[in-house]
Amino acid sequence: MKTRLLHHLQFILLLLMATAISAAAAAPPAPALIAPASGASLPSPLTLSWSAVTDPSGILGYNWQISTSSSFATITAQSSTNGQTQDTASGLPNGTYFWRAQAVNNAFVQGAWSQPGNFTITGAGPGQPAAPTLAPTKAYSTFHPREVIGFSWSPVPGAATYLLQASTDPSFPIVTRIQFDNIPNPVFSFAIADEGFYYARVYAVSAGRILSVPSNVITFSVFYNNPLPAPPSPLSPGNGVTLNLPITLTWTDVANPQPSGYELEIAKDSGFNQVEESAPQLNNASRTELSLTPGTKFWRVRSHQGDSSPTTAAVTAWSKSGSFTVSQAPPAPVSLALATSAFYSGNTTWVALQLSTAAGANGAVINLTSSNPLAAPAPATVNMPPNTGWTQFQMQAGQVTADTPVTLTATLNSGSASVQFTVLPPSLKSISVSPGTINGGAQPQAIIMLNGQAPAGGAVIDVASDSPAALAPALVNVAAGSPSAVFAISTTQVNANTLVHISAGWNGASVSTPITLTPQGQPSAISLSPASVTGTGGSFATVSIASPAAVDQIFQVTSSNPAAALTPNSVLIPAGAVRGGFNIFTRIVSAPTSVTISVSGGGVTRSATLSLNPLSAPPPTTSATLSVSAMGRSGERVTSTPAGISVAVGSTGSSSFASGTAITLSVSNGRDAIWSGACSSGGQKTKTCTLTLNANSSVSANVQ
């Protein structure tokens, strides 16, 4: 909803894309202004029109601007079109204005602005809403950065929405103002991060997007050092009272309450050195405490009002402290409560258990009894954690065939609390089809939902259709213990939109849901990228139609070899689009394999071939060079076999061998050699090492 910088999103896109293009690109010519005639006097709203221009790359759209100055130093209003040569301007108070237009080509290059025209607004014309009256900001006009500010204004008859603007400049320049549009009601709140003195105004907007003239302008300030409101005041409980849990604390609202703005502290001492409960970010001026230890408590509250510095919160002073006493009597159950109002067979619900005071340091074991363990099997006991007065546990309803009343009772320290509820038999809840509008010939999915879970043996649901264009199975089984079942509906092609109702019945109850079948289009092409795949690389199929459709187009997809190339059953082309796509998941093949991927709809099938290649051994690499250097006593030599290297002591030699060649190197009449490969063991003066060369590998031998 928030719009900074420019008044219209299309204008932003056109302007930014245009300025990003190289200045060397050719610009389209400037249009000529047509209406209103220069110097004309007329009411608002008004129609702006200009001449069409041409460009070798085509025209993407037009921008227009209105200003109170012929230099256009400050822009009052601006917008753009998608190629249309006229637009409506509104929201202009009485006065004289200048306007101009420019073209943007398909290369996103802005053309020159037209020669400016001028006109005078003399009043409100038909269709323009009345201006709202903007009230002063809520509570006060001196706010902190990031403090939420409340605005309200008079409702306007015929207004569909409202538009609120704020700026540090009373002329509300487009490039710096803050704007919120599509506000449905005459109230709005927002926070500002930047300091400054601000101006605000609001417009009423008709259903046809015609703006009223702006409201009156109000002012407010946003500064870190603005004053803080008075703190809240405690209301209840009254000081000195003794209470059982749960205990609700209430206080007065501050002048400008903030979302999650209140902070509460409860302590065991009046100096708040032993804080037992710290509850920040509270939305309302109340808090119900479920777990407090016995004894006297002191409490206080304050409010956060944005920031007092870039790193510090703006917080009111703490309120005056209140006091109360939590009963020191042994804890006993106060209440049991189910989280659901309708407890169906097989469903699980949370049960909340509240004690009068928190359990001691060792916790507590609460006994539970159910008046009907078959309908509502409860655990025998529930453990309350130490120093806690509230917990919850889960309970699953048993299967019943009729409404069955149950009483659940919790007992501790000779005290008890009960809750009465009814376990309901499973029943038919709903049937739905997704999508609800689909091409005839496609196969949507339907789901039947139960209240609760199906009994032993399952629930056999009768299903019917009121039209042969959509056929459902006569019976659908919801498995025992399951809350739902999914099934497919077969549809046939239709020549016009056809409404069909699918109904379901069980145990005297029935539900239904509509499906709208639409004429199915025809795929015009299918392409694969890539069209040749090795291993599990996968591919993506793009399906096209000749022109956009008003509804989603769903076509059937098949693979001639699903074991090698798996596809989904259908592909969706969204309404208004001309392309859709799907992934193809490929598996490893042992031989070259061709798979036909087909898409069908409207009696037409389009196909493409996907080539699958087997994995192979790594391709041969280039030959590698073996380099050997030798040093040692006079007369020692290093040789290699096969022949190719003969290295005398103190010299080096090399030879090239094809990749994968096994090279045997020998050291004769010398000391042990250390090779950069695995060598045979042994203490002889002659060693043999065998290495298999890879591309770019080398080995050296040093003889000592």
Side-chain angles (χ1 to χ4, degrees), residues 105-131:
N105 66 20
N106 282 329
F108 308 114
V109 177
Q110 287 176 267
W113 286 105
S114 68
Q115 290 296 314
N118 67 85
F119 57 86
T120 299
I121 297 296
T122 57
Q128 179 170 287

Side-chain angles (χ1 to χ4, degrees), residues 479-565:
S482 175
S484 63
V486 178
F487 59 96
I489 296 176
S490 299
T491 67
T492 60
Q493 294 186 30
V494 295
N495 296 322
N497 287 357
T498 304
L499 180 64
V500 180
H501 291 88
I502 305 296
S503 60
W506 184 57
N507 282 352
S510 63
V511 292
S512 67
T513 187
I515 313 174
T516 299
L517 302 180
T518 62
Q520 189 178 42
Q522 297 177 339
S524 59
I526 179 174
S527 61
L528 307 180
S529 179
S532 179
V533 177
T534 299
T536 58
S539 181
F540 186 81
T542 298
V543 178
S544 303
I545 56 178
S547 60
V551 297
D552 293 347
Q553 296 295 300
I554 300 176
F555 299 130
Q556 282 62 59
V557 176
T558 59
S559 167
S560 65
N561 189 343

Side-chain angles (χ1 to χ4, degrees), residues 3 41 72 93 131 135 138 179 187 207-208 276 278 303 326 437 549 697:
T3 307
S41 295
F72 292 85
K138 181 179 180 179
Q179 178 167 301
V187 292
E276 184 174 344
S278 177
S303 178
V326 180
T437 299
S697 62

